[in-house]
């Protein structure tokens, strides 16, 4: 089992910054990918940024140049700069644990990010 807990959301004005944190605990063996996802009202959950065990990082086009993901051991961070109202969503931390080619996704409870003036 893997537990994932996020923190750091809140209300911020357009152009502002927020930093999200995530802590993964439990059996982290074979957790090869961790990442941030978000879900806005009425929309599907989408990938924001992922970080794999090889150090490869992938960003959604909509956040490139504004968001930065980093990882230190079981801690995952998302630095969000130049926030725009379209970034408003519930942000989820994900830990993906592999069993050969199969995997299980573990999700946190989510943290609300609201960008509004």
């Amino acid at each position: 089992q893997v537990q994932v807990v996020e923190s750091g959301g809140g209300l911020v004005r357009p152009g502002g910054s927020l930093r999200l944190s995530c802590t993964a605990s439990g059996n982290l063996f074979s957790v090869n990918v961790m990442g941030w996802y978000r879900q806005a009202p009425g929309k599907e959950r989408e990938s924001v940024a992922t970080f794999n065990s090889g150090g490869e990082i992938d960003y959604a086009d909509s956040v490139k140049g504004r968001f930065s993901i980093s990882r230190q051991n079981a801690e995952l961070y998302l630095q969000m700069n130049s926030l725009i109202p379209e970034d408003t969503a519930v942000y989820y931390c994900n830990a993906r644990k592999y069993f050969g080619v199969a995997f299980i996704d573990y999700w946190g409870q989510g943290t609300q990010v609201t960008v509004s003036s």
Side-chain angles (χ1 to χ4, degrees):
Q1 272 295 66
V2 176
Q3 294 78 42
V4 180
V5 178
E6 310 98 335
S7 62
L11 172 64
V12 63
R13 293 188 176 185
S17 298
L18 278 176
R19 187 179 191 232
L20 305 183
S21 299
C22 169
T23 301
S25 60
N27 186 352
L28 302 182
F29 180 75
S30 293
V31 172
N32 293 334
V33 182
M34 292 186 69
W36 290 97
Y37 291 71
R38 67 186 180 187
Q39 187 166 17
K43 294 188 177 182
E44 293 188 354
R45 190 173 298 188
E46 62 175 358
S47 174
V48 175
T50 58
F51 196 121
N52 71 19
S53 57
E56 295 175 338
I57 295 174
D58 185 48
Y59 293 101
D61 288 343
S62 60
V63 306
K64 284 180 180 177
R66 301 188 298 119
F67 290 12
S68 177
I69 189 172
S70 60
R71 180 177 178 180
Q72 184 171 8
N73 298 321
E75 303 283 331
L76 189 71
Y77 306 97
L78 186 68
Q79 178 66 42
M80 304 185 293
N81 299 326
S82 302
L83 284 160
I84 59 178
E86 290 74 17
D87 295 319
T88 295
V90 178
Y91 283 69
Y92 297 91
C93 181
N94 169 269
R96 178 166 287 181
K97 186 176 178 71
Y98 280 83
F99 304 88
V101 296
F103 59 84
I104 294 177
D105 280 323
Y106 295 91
W107 298 95
Q109 79 286 356
T111 185
Q112 177 70 47
V113 171
T114 302
V115 184
S116 175
S117 56

